[in-house]
mmCIF file of all heavy atoms in Angstrom:
data_model
loop_
_atom_site.group_PDB
_atom_site.id
_atom_site.type_symbol
_atom_site.label_atom_id
_atom_site.label_comp_id
_atom_site.label_asym_id
_atom_site.label_seq_id
_atom_site.Cartn_x
_atom_site.Cartn_y
_atom_site.Cartn_z
ATOM 1 N N VAL K 1 19.412 3.132 -14.356
ATOM 2 C CA VAL K 1 19.646 3.668 -15.701
ATOM 3 C C VAL K 1 18.348 3.496 -16.505
ATOM 4 O O VAL K 1 17.592 2.553 -16.269
ATOM 5 C CB VAL K 1 20.810 2.963 -16.438
ATOM 6 C CG1 VAL K 1 22.117 3.160 -15.626
ATOM 7 C CG2 VAL K 1 20.540 1.495 -16.633
ATOM 8 N N PRO K 2 18.057 4.394 -17.437
ATOM 9 C CA PRO K 2 16.805 4.288 -18.184
ATOM 10 C C PRO K 2 16.872 3.292 -19.343
ATOM 11 O O PRO K 2 17.917 3.145 -19.995
ATOM 12 C CB PRO K 2 16.597 5.722 -18.715
ATOM 13 C CG PRO K 2 17.997 6.241 -18.857
ATOM 14 C CD PRO K 2 18.783 5.640 -17.742
ATOM 15 N N GLN K 3 15.750 2.616 -19.577
ATOM 16 C CA GLN K 3 15.602 1.815 -20.789
ATOM 17 C C GLN K 3 15.215 2.758 -21.924
ATOM 18 O O GLN K 3 14.452 3.705 -21.706
ATOM 19 C CB GLN K 3 14.541 0.721 -20.569
ATOM 20 C CG GLN K 3 14.354 -0.243 -21.727
ATOM 21 C CD GLN K 3 13.414 0.305 -22.784
ATOM 22 O OE1 GLN K 3 12.463 1.026 -22.482
ATOM 23 N NE2 GLN K 3 13.658 -0.025 -24.048
ATOM 24 N N ILE K 4 15.717 2.536 -23.105
ATOM 25 C CA ILE K 4 15.429 3.435 -24.230
ATOM 26 C C ILE K 4 14.966 2.646 -25.465
ATOM 27 O O ILE K 4 15.367 1.519 -25.691
ATOM 28 C CB ILE K 4 16.674 4.275 -24.586
ATOM 29 C CG1 ILE K 4 17.879 3.399 -24.911
ATOM 30 C CG2 ILE K 4 17.008 5.261 -23.481
ATOM 31 C CD1 ILE K 4 19.102 4.169 -25.413
ATOM 32 N N GLY K 5 14.071 3.278 -26.217
ATOM 33 C CA GLY K 5 13.572 2.669 -27.434
ATOM 34 C C GLY K 5 12.543 1.586 -27.142
ATOM 35 O O GLY K 5 12.258 1.253 -25.993
ATOM 36 N N SER K 6 11.970 1.049 -28.186
ATOM 37 C CA SER K 6 10.957 0.004 -28.049
ATOM 38 C C SER K 6 11.582 -1.273 -27.514
ATOM 39 O O SER K 6 12.642 -1.715 -27.997
ATOM 40 C CB SER K 6 10.295 -0.275 -29.392
ATOM 41 O OG SER K 6 9.592 0.864 -29.878
ATOM 42 N N VAL K 7 10.913 -1.887 -26.542
ATOM 43 C CA VAL K 7 11.262 -3.235 -26.128
ATOM 44 C C VAL K 7 10.915 -4.170 -27.273
ATOM 45 O O VAL K 7 9.780 -4.168 -27.756
ATOM 46 C CB VAL K 7 10.532 -3.643 -24.847
ATOM 47 C CG1 VAL K 7 10.773 -5.115 -24.509
ATOM 48 C CG2 VAL K 7 10.907 -2.752 -23.685
ATOM 49 N N THR K 8 11.857 -4.951 -27.747
ATOM 50 C CA THR K 8 11.604 -5.849 -28.869
ATOM 51 C C THR K 8 11.310 -7.260 -28.351
ATOM 52 O O THR K 8 11.354 -7.510 -27.137
ATOM 53 C CB THR K 8 12.793 -5.867 -29.863
ATOM 54 O OG1 THR K 8 13.898 -6.528 -29.250
ATOM 55 C CG2 THR K 8 13.181 -4.434 -30.248
ATOM 56 N N MET K 9 11.039 -8.187 -29.241
ATOM 57 C CA MET K 9 10.684 -9.517 -28.808
ATOM 58 C C MET K 9 11.790 -10.206 -28.015
ATOM 59 O O MET K 9 11.523 -10.862 -26.998
ATOM 60 C CB MET K 9 10.357 -10.398 -30.031
ATOM 61 C CG MET K 9 9.934 -11.812 -29.659
ATOM 62 S SD MET K 9 9.587 -12.852 -31.079
ATOM 63 C CE MET K 9 8.077 -12.125 -31.691
ATOM 64 N N ASP K 10 13.019 -9.965 -28.411
ATOM 65 C CA ASP K 10 14.150 -10.702 -27.837
ATOM 66 C C ASP K 10 15.174 -9.840 -27.104
ATOM 67 O O ASP K 10 16.047 -10.375 -26.446
ATOM 68 C CB ASP K 10 14.910 -11.439 -28.953
ATOM 69 C CG ASP K 10 13.984 -12.152 -29.914
ATOM 70 O OD1 ASP K 10 13.194 -12.991 -29.458
ATOM 71 O OD2 ASP K 10 14.032 -11.829 -31.125
ATOM 72 N N GLN K 11 15.090 -8.516 -27.275
ATOM 73 C CA GLN K 11 16.155 -7.656 -26.746
ATOM 74 C C GLN K 11 15.599 -6.304 -26.321
ATOM 75 O O GLN K 11 14.523 -5.896 -26.773
ATOM 76 C CB GLN K 11 17.241 -7.440 -27.825
ATOM 77 C CG GLN K 11 17.898 -8.747 -28.301
ATOM 78 C CD GLN K 11 18.875 -8.530 -29.410
ATOM 79 O OE1 GLN K 11 20.051 -8.230 -29.167
ATOM 80 N NE2 GLN K 11 18.418 -8.715 -30.642
ATOM 81 N N LEU K 12 16.333 -5.640 -25.447
ATOM 82 C CA LEU K 12 16.008 -4.276 -25.084
ATOM 83 C C LEU K 12 17.309 -3.501 -24.824
ATOM 84 O O LEU K 12 18.376 -4.114 -24.616
ATOM 85 C CB LEU K 12 15.059 -4.211 -23.875
ATOM 86 C CG LEU K 12 15.521 -4.833 -22.556
ATOM 87 C CD1 LEU K 12 16.387 -3.899 -21.724
ATOM 88 C CD2 LEU K 12 14.293 -5.233 -21.732
ATOM 89 N N MET K 13 17.223 -2.169 -24.835
ATOM 90 C CA MET K 13 18.415 -1.371 -24.722
ATOM 91 C C MET K 13 18.328 -0.423 -23.525
ATOM 92 O O MET K 13 17.260 0.061 -23.168
ATOM 93 C CB MET K 13 18.621 -0.531 -26.004
ATOM 94 C CG MET K 13 19.208 -1.350 -27.166
ATOM 95 S SD MET K 13 18.127 -2.653 -27.784
ATOM 96 C CE MET K 13 16.951 -1.732 -28.761
ATOM 97 N N LEU K 14 19.518 -0.140 -22.955
ATOM 98 C CA LEU K 14 19.644 0.776 -21.815
ATOM 99 C C LEU K 14 20.589 1.912 -22.166
ATOM 100 O O LEU K 14 21.565 1.720 -22.914
ATOM 101 C CB LEU K 14 20.197 0.040 -20.600
ATOM 102 C CG LEU K 14 19.514 -1.236 -20.133
ATOM 103 C CD1 LEU K 14 20.308 -1.856 -18.991
ATOM 104 C CD2 LEU K 14 18.084 -0.965 -19.701
ATOM 105 N N ASP K 15 20.316 3.086 -21.592
ATOM 106 C CA ASP K 15 21.232 4.218 -21.709
ATOM 107 C C ASP K 15 22.143 4.218 -20.481
ATOM 108 O O ASP K 15 21.706 4.498 -19.386
ATOM 109 C CB ASP K 15 20.442 5.509 -21.793
ATOM 110 C CG ASP K 15 21.318 6.783 -21.903
ATOM 111 O OD1 ASP K 15 22.547 6.642 -21.764
ATOM 112 O OD2 ASP K 15 20.758 7.868 -22.092
ATOM 113 N N VAL K 16 23.427 3.889 -20.708
ATOM 114 C CA VAL K 16 24.366 3.810 -19.595
ATOM 115 C C VAL K 16 25.379 4.968 -19.634
ATOM 116 O O VAL K 16 26.419 4.899 -18.984
ATOM 117 C CB VAL K 16 25.087 2.454 -19.599
ATOM 118 C CG1 VAL K 16 24.106 1.320 -19.331
ATOM 119 C CG2 VAL K 16 25.832 2.205 -20.918
ATOM 120 N N THR K 17 25.022 6.016 -20.354
ATOM 121 C CA THR K 17 25.945 7.151 -20.547
ATOM 122 C C THR K 17 26.345 7.785 -19.223
ATOM 123 O O THR K 17 27.519 8.147 -19.007
ATOM 124 C CB THR K 17 25.308 8.195 -21.450
ATOM 125 O OG1 THR K 17 24.823 7.604 -22.633
ATOM 126 C CG2 THR K 17 26.324 9.281 -21.807
ATOM 127 N N ASP K 18 25.364 7.955 -18.333
ATOM 128 C CA ASP K 18 25.611 8.692 -17.090
ATOM 129 C C ASP K 18 25.910 7.812 -15.905
ATOM 130 O O ASP K 18 25.839 8.262 -14.742
ATOM 131 C CB ASP K 18 24.367 9.556 -16.764
ATOM 132 C CG ASP K 18 24.157 10.661 -17.811
ATOM 133 O OD1 ASP K 18 25.152 11.133 -18.359
ATOM 134 O OD2 ASP K 18 22.993 11.006 -18.059
ATOM 135 N N LEU K 19 26.278 6.586 -16.140
ATOM 136 C CA LEU K 19 26.595 5.704 -15.023
ATOM 137 C C LEU K 19 27.754 6.291 -14.222
ATOM 138 O O LEU K 19 28.845 6.505 -14.750
ATOM 139 C CB LEU K 19 26.999 4.336 -15.572
ATOM 140 C CG LEU K 19 27.038 3.184 -14.575
ATOM 141 C CD1 LEU K 19 25.640 2.868 -14.046
ATOM 142 C CD2 LEU K 19 27.642 1.952 -15.205
ATOM 143 N N PRO K 20 27.512 6.670 -12.954
ATOM 144 C CA PRO K 20 28.566 7.396 -12.208
ATOM 145 C C PRO K 20 29.649 6.472 -11.709
ATOM 146 O O PRO K 20 29.498 5.255 -11.675
ATOM 147 C CB PRO K 20 27.779 8.007 -11.051
ATOM 148 C CG PRO K 20 26.656 7.023 -10.825
ATOM 149 C CD PRO K 20 26.293 6.495 -12.186
ATOM 150 N N GLY K 21 30.711 7.093 -11.337
ATOM 151 C CA GLY K 21 31.788 6.366 -10.672
ATOM 152 C C GLY K 21 32.703 5.595 -11.601
ATOM 153 O O GLY K 21 33.896 5.904 -11.714
ATOM 154 N N VAL K 22 32.161 4.613 -12.313
ATOM 155 C CA VAL K 22 32.990 3.767 -13.153
ATOM 156 C C VAL K 22 33.096 4.286 -14.581
ATOM 157 O O VAL K 22 34.028 3.968 -15.287
ATOM 158 C CB VAL K 22 32.462 2.308 -13.151
ATOM 159 C CG1 VAL K 22 32.551 1.731 -11.774
ATOM 160 C CG2 VAL K 22 31.016 2.269 -13.637
ATOM 161 N N GLY K 23 32.076 5.062 -15.031
ATOM 162 C CA GLY K 23 32.088 5.547 -16.400
ATOM 163 C C GLY K 23 31.635 4.452 -17.366
ATOM 164 O O GLY K 23 31.858 3.274 -17.146
ATOM 165 N N PRO K 24 30.956 4.856 -18.442
ATOM 166 C CA PRO K 24 30.408 3.864 -19.369
ATOM 167 C C PRO K 24 31.496 3.008 -20.031
ATOM 168 O O PRO K 24 31.248 1.841 -20.343
ATOM 169 C CB PRO K 24 29.666 4.712 -20.393
ATOM 170 C CG PRO K 24 30.259 6.086 -20.282
ATOM 171 C CD PRO K 24 30.661 6.235 -18.860
ATOM 172 N N SER K 25 32.666 3.560 -20.245
ATOM 173 C CA SER K 25 33.697 2.776 -20.940
ATOM 174 C C SER K 25 34.203 1.607 -20.112
ATOM 175 O O SER K 25 34.796 0.680 -20.596
ATOM 176 C CB SER K 25 34.858 3.682 -21.331
ATOM 177 O OG SER K 25 35.446 4.238 -20.158
ATOM 178 N N ALA K 26 33.942 1.653 -18.790
ATOM 179 C CA ALA K 26 34.418 0.596 -17.907
ATOM 180 C C ALA K 26 33.465 -0.593 -17.891
ATOM 181 O O ALA K 26 33.817 -1.655 -17.350
ATOM 182 C CB ALA K 26 34.629 1.118 -16.481
ATOM 183 N N LEU K 27 32.260 -0.435 -18.387
ATOM 184 C CA LEU K 27 31.334 -1.569 -18.449
ATOM 185 C C LEU K 27 31.861 -2.629 -19.413
ATOM 186 O O LEU K 27 32.565 -2.334 -20.385
ATOM 187 C CB LEU K 27 29.948 -1.103 -18.914
ATOM 188 C CG LEU K 27 29.046 -0.454 -17.899
ATOM 189 C CD1 LEU K 27 27.745 -0.019 -18.552
ATOM 190 C CD2 LEU K 27 28.739 -1.384 -16.731
ATOM 191 N N GLU K 28 31.467 -3.865 -19.134
ATOM 192 C CA GLU K 28 31.895 -4.943 -20.000
ATOM 193 C C GLU K 28 30.729 -5.804 -20.398
ATOM 194 O O GLU K 28 29.743 -5.961 -19.638
ATOM 195 C CB GLU K 28 32.931 -5.814 -19.275
ATOM 196 C CG GLU K 28 34.226 -5.096 -18.956
ATOM 197 C CD GLU K 28 35.224 -5.994 -18.256
ATOM 198 O OE1 GLU K 28 34.893 -7.170 -18.017
ATOM 199 O OE2 GLU K 28 36.344 -5.541 -17.959
ATOM 200 N N VAL K 29 30.811 -6.380 -21.591
ATOM 201 C CA VAL K 29 29.848 -7.373 -22.020
ATOM 202 C C VAL K 29 29.891 -8.534 -21.015
ATOM 203 O O VAL K 29 30.954 -8.977 -20.600
ATOM 204 C CB VAL K 29 30.154 -7.873 -23.441
ATOM 205 C CG1 VAL K 29 29.320 -9.116 -23.763
ATOM 206 C CG2 VAL K 29 29.886 -6.766 -24.435
ATOM 207 N N GLY K 30 28.739 -9.033 -20.611
ATOM 208 C CA GLY K 30 28.659 -10.126 -19.651
ATOM 209 C C GLY K 30 28.332 -9.686 -18.247
ATOM 210 O O GLY K 30 28.026 -10.526 -17.381
ATOM 211 N N GLU K 31 28.350 -8.388 -17.963
ATOM 212 C CA GLU K 31 27.991 -7.924 -16.606
ATOM 213 C C GLU K 31 26.481 -8.124 -16.387
ATOM 214 O O GLU K 31 25.660 -7.968 -17.296
ATOM 215 C CB GLU K 31 28.347 -6.465 -16.416
ATOM 216 C CG GLU K 31 29.838 -6.219 -16.321
ATOM 217 C CD GLU K 31 30.176 -4.889 -15.688
ATOM 218 O OE1 GLU K 31 29.473 -4.482 -14.733
ATOM 219 O OE2 GLU K 31 31.138 -4.240 -16.145
ATOM 220 N N THR K 32 26.131 -8.428 -15.123
ATOM 221 C CA THR K 32 24.739 -8.680 -14.786
ATOM 222 C C THR K 32 24.010 -7.387 -14.529
ATOM 223 O O THR K 32 24.492 -6.486 -13.835
ATOM 224 C CB THR K 32 24.667 -9.595 -13.548
ATOM 225 O OG1 THR K 32 25.283 -10.858 -13.854
ATOM 226 C CG2 THR K 32 23.220 -9.828 -13.120
ATOM 227 N N VAL K 33 22.776 -7.325 -15.049
ATOM 228 C CA VAL K 33 21.880 -6.180 -14.883
ATOM 229 C C VAL K 33 20.609 -6.659 -14.200
ATOM 230 O O VAL K 33 20.110 -7.750 -14.545
ATOM 231 C CB VAL K 33 21.556 -5.524 -16.247
ATOM 232 C CG1 VAL K 33 20.495 -4.430 -16.076
ATOM 233 C CG2 VAL K 33 22.825 -4.955 -16.881
ATOM 234 N N THR K 34 20.078 -5.924 -13.283
ATOM 235 C CA THR K 34 18.849 -6.287 -12.585
ATOM 236 C C THR K 34 17.680 -5.459 -13.150
ATOM 237 O O THR K 34 17.695 -4.236 -13.083
ATOM 238 C CB THR K 34 18.972 -6.036 -11.079
ATOM 239 O OG1 THR K 34 20.007 -6.886 -10.552
ATOM 240 C CG2 THR K 34 17.684 -6.313 -10.344
ATOM 241 N N LEU K 35 16.688 -6.160 -13.665
ATOM 242 C CA LEU K 35 15.473 -5.487 -14.127
ATOM 243 C C LEU K 35 14.403 -5.518 -13.049
ATOM 244 O O LEU K 35 13.569 -4.610 -12.967
ATOM 245 C CB LEU K 35 14.956 -6.138 -15.408
ATOM 246 C CG LEU K 35 15.857 -5.904 -16.613
ATOM 247 C CD1 LEU K 35 16.793 -7.085 -16.817
ATOM 248 C CD2 LEU K 35 15.024 -5.670 -17.874
ATOM 249 N N LEU K 36 14.339 -6.578 -12.257
ATOM 250 C CA LEU K 36 13.496 -6.670 -11.078
ATOM 251 C C LEU K 36 14.333 -7.202 -9.941
ATOM 252 O O LEU K 36 15.021 -8.219 -10.085
ATOM 253 C CB LEU K 36 12.314 -7.623 -11.326
ATOM 254 C CG LEU K 36 11.192 -7.160 -12.244
ATOM 255 C CD1 LEU K 36 10.241 -8.323 -12.517
ATOM 256 C CD2 LEU K 36 10.434 -5.993 -11.667
ATOM 257 N N GLY K 37 14.321 -6.509 -8.820
ATOM 258 C CA GLY K 37 15.101 -6.963 -7.675
ATOM 259 C C GLY K 37 15.857 -5.831 -7.028
ATOM 260 O O GLY K 37 15.637 -4.639 -7.329
ATOM 261 N N ARG K 38 16.757 -6.188 -6.154
ATOM 262 C CA ARG K 38 17.485 -5.210 -5.362
ATOM 263 C C ARG K 38 18.977 -5.313 -5.633
ATOM 264 O O ARG K 38 19.522 -6.408 -5.759
ATOM 265 C CB ARG K 38 17.229 -5.428 -3.868
ATOM 266 C CG ARG K 38 18.029 -4.509 -2.937
ATOM 267 C CD ARG K 38 17.633 -4.709 -1.490
ATOM 268 N NE ARG K 38 16.293 -4.171 -1.262
ATOM 269 C CZ ARG K 38 16.002 -2.907 -1.054
ATOM 270 N NH1 ARG K 38 16.975 -1.987 -1.030
ATOM 271 N NH2 ARG K 38 14.757 -2.533 -0.825
ATOM 272 N N GLU K 39 19.627 -4.136 -5.721
ATOM 273 C CA GLU K 39 21.078 -4.042 -5.709
ATOM 274 C C GLU K 39 21.440 -2.920 -4.763
ATOM 275 O O GLU K 39 21.111 -1.752 -5.002
ATOM 276 C CB GLU K 39 21.621 -3.749 -7.127
ATOM 277 C CG GLU K 39 21.608 -4.917 -8.096
ATOM 278 C CD GLU K 39 22.377 -4.615 -9.362
ATOM 279 O OE1 GLU K 39 23.206 -3.674 -9.353
ATOM 280 O OE2 GLU K 39 22.166 -5.327 -10.360
ATOM 281 N N GLY K 40 22.114 -3.264 -3.690
ATOM 282 C CA GLY K 40 22.476 -2.243 -2.700
ATOM 283 C C GLY K 40 21.236 -1.581 -2.111
ATOM 284 O O GLY K 40 20.312 -2.247 -1.623
ATOM 285 N N ASP K 41 21.205 -0.259 -2.162
ATOM 286 C CA ASP K 41 20.069 0.486 -1.611
ATOM 287 C C ASP K 41 18.928 0.690 -2.603
ATOM 288 O O ASP K 41 17.910 1.264 -2.249
ATOM 289 C CB ASP K 41 20.566 1.867 -1.109
ATOM 290 C CG ASP K 41 21.546 1.765 0.051
ATOM 291 O OD1 ASP K 41 21.430 0.777 0.807
ATOM 292 O OD2 ASP K 41 22.370 2.659 0.190
ATOM 293 N N GLU K 42 19.125 0.276 -3.823
ATOM 294 C CA GLU K 42 18.122 0.487 -4.868
ATOM 295 C C GLU K 42 17.348 -0.795 -5.174
ATOM 296 O O GLU K 42 17.914 -1.895 -5.072
ATOM 297 C CB GLU K 42 18.776 0.984 -6.166
ATOM 298 C CG GLU K 42 19.382 2.376 -6.075
ATOM 299 C CD GLU K 42 18.330 3.477 -6.099
ATOM 300 O OE1 GLU K 42 17.137 3.152 -6.283
ATOM 301 O OE2 GLU K 42 18.715 4.628 -5.922
ATOM 302 N N SER K 43 16.089 -0.643 -5.501
ATOM 303 C CA SER K 43 15.311 -1.814 -5.877
ATOM 304 C C SER K 43 14.266 -1.403 -6.931
ATOM 305 O O SER K 43 13.825 -0.247 -6.973
ATOM 306 C CB SER K 43 14.597 -2.431 -4.669
ATOM 307 O OG SER K 43 13.606 -1.563 -4.146
ATOM 308 N N ILE K 44 13.928 -2.372 -7.763
ATOM 309 C CA ILE K 44 12.862 -2.194 -8.755
ATOM 310 C C ILE K 44 11.875 -3.330 -8.539
ATOM 311 O O ILE K 44 12.299 -4.520 -8.446
ATOM 312 C CB ILE K 44 13.415 -2.223 -10.199
ATOM 313 C CG1 ILE K 44 14.383 -1.057 -10.400
ATOM 314 C CG2 ILE K 44 12.291 -2.180 -11.207
ATOM 315 C CD1 ILE K 44 15.104 -1.092 -11.733
ATOM 316 N N THR K 45 10.625 -3.033 -8.424
ATOM 317 C CA THR K 45 9.603 -4.022 -8.087
ATOM 318 C C THR K 45 8.538 -4.108 -9.183
ATOM 319 O O THR K 45 8.438 -3.254 -10.074
ATOM 320 C CB THR K 45 8.928 -3.689 -6.767
ATOM 321 O OG1 THR K 45 8.131 -2.506 -6.939
ATOM 322 C CG2 THR K 45 9.963 -3.440 -5.653
ATOM 323 N N LEU K 46 7.714 -5.139 -9.055
ATOM 324 C CA LEU K 46 6.580 -5.262 -9.963
ATOM 325 C C LEU K 46 5.558 -4.156 -9.742
ATOM 326 O O LEU K 46 4.789 -3.839 -10.640
ATOM 327 C CB LEU K 46 5.918 -6.647 -9.797
ATOM 328 C CG LEU K 46 6.727 -7.800 -10.412
ATOM 329 C CD1 LEU K 46 6.201 -9.137 -9.888
ATOM 330 C CD2 LEU K 46 6.647 -7.751 -11.934
#
């Protein structure tokens, strides 16, 4: 999912509108997000 807007000192925002399968309304506060690393077949590296 894309990061949107300026990264601030303490927080950043993601656009989760198009998250497939579960739909954005199914997300919950407290779920873990990976900024660097692997989840399933996808990975983000330095």
Side-chain angles (χ1 to χ4, degrees):
V1 300
Q3 183 275 328
I4 56 174
S6 296
V7 173
T8 71
M9 181 182 290
D10 315 301
Q11 300 175 85
L12 60 83
M13 282 66 77
L14 307 175
D15 180 352
V16 294
T17 310
D18 294 328
L19 195 66
V22 296
S25 61
L27 280 178
E28 296 181 359
V29 168
E31 289 199 39
T32 298
V33 174
T34 296
L35 291 96
L36 288 172
R38 175 175 291 278
E39 285 191 19
D41 295 331
E42 293 284 354
S43 67
I44 297 173
T45 69
L46 285 165

